Amino acid sequence: MTAADFADIPGTVLFDAQQSRKGYALNQFCMSLMQSANRERFRADEPAYLAEWPMTPEQREAVLARDMNRCLALGGNVYFLVKIAATDGISVQEMVGGMTGMSEADYRAMMLRGGRPIEGNRYLHEWSGRKGSV
């Protein structure tokens, strides 16, 4: 399967070899946040710390805006991106809830009910006339 095979699935970014290459520097930056000294440096001056990484301007902007959906589109891997959330003191549930436009409480409640219902969420072409995204 290719990324094109997943293009009609709402909220899906296929993390394949191409995305991995595209997001390599972004994901390496995220992994650097596993060390407390790096977290402190990042919190002290985010733009300066990000400038040390060979990321694209779009990747840096997405990190600074904490736009995790954009980070995914730019090659970020969610397992690495959670390092940013942890550095900010944000739980994984709060981060992914925000990525879906939900509060942490609403996201948790939805997941406890079994997750997002499949009806109407299988394919983007089912969303005819529907506003919003995943």
Side-chain angles (χ1 to χ4, degrees):
M1 296 190 98
T2 67
D5 296 318
F6 291 88
D8 196 34
I9 303 173
T12 301
V13 176
L14 176 64
F15 190 78
D16 58 4
Q18 181 179 355
Q19 280 293 98
S20 179
R21 285 188 295 275
K22 183 164 74 169
Y24 182 78
L26 170 59
N27 292 319
Q28 290 300 300
F29 149 72
C30 291
M31 291 303 292
S32 78
L33 298 177
M34 292 181 65
Q35 297 179 0
S36 63
N38 291 338
R39 290 191 301 271
E40 290 173 22
R41 289 181 53 227
F42 177 62
R43 284 191 293 255
D45 189 345
E46 292 183 8
Y49 189 75
L50 288 174
E52 297 176 21
W53 297 91
M55 296 163 50
T56 67
E58 294 82 11
Q59 289 170 330
R60 286 189 188 96
E61 291 168 13
V63 170
L64 291 171
R66 299 307 194 268
D67 185 343
M68 297 305 170
N69 287 322
R70 184 78 179 127
C71 286
L72 284 177
L74 295 169
N77 182 297
V78 71
Y79 295 106
F80 297 140
L81 295 175
V82 296
K83 309 296 189 248
I84 300 170
T87 298
D88 290 340
I90 295 172
S91 72
V92 173
Q93 286 180 326
E94 186 175 352
M95 183 185 102
V96 296
M99 291 170 74
T100 64
M102 302 172 118
S103 70
E104 179 181 9
D106 289 343
Y107 180 81
R108 183 182 312 116
M110 177 195 67
M111 295 306 290
L112 288 172
R113 288 190 309 270
R116 191 177 303 276
I118 193 67
E119 291 74 28
N121 284 309
R122 285 188 179 100
Y123 302 104
L124 288 173
H125 71 265
E126 295 176 336
W127 291 22
S128 176
R130 185 170 156 184
K131 291 185 180 181
S133 60
V134 187

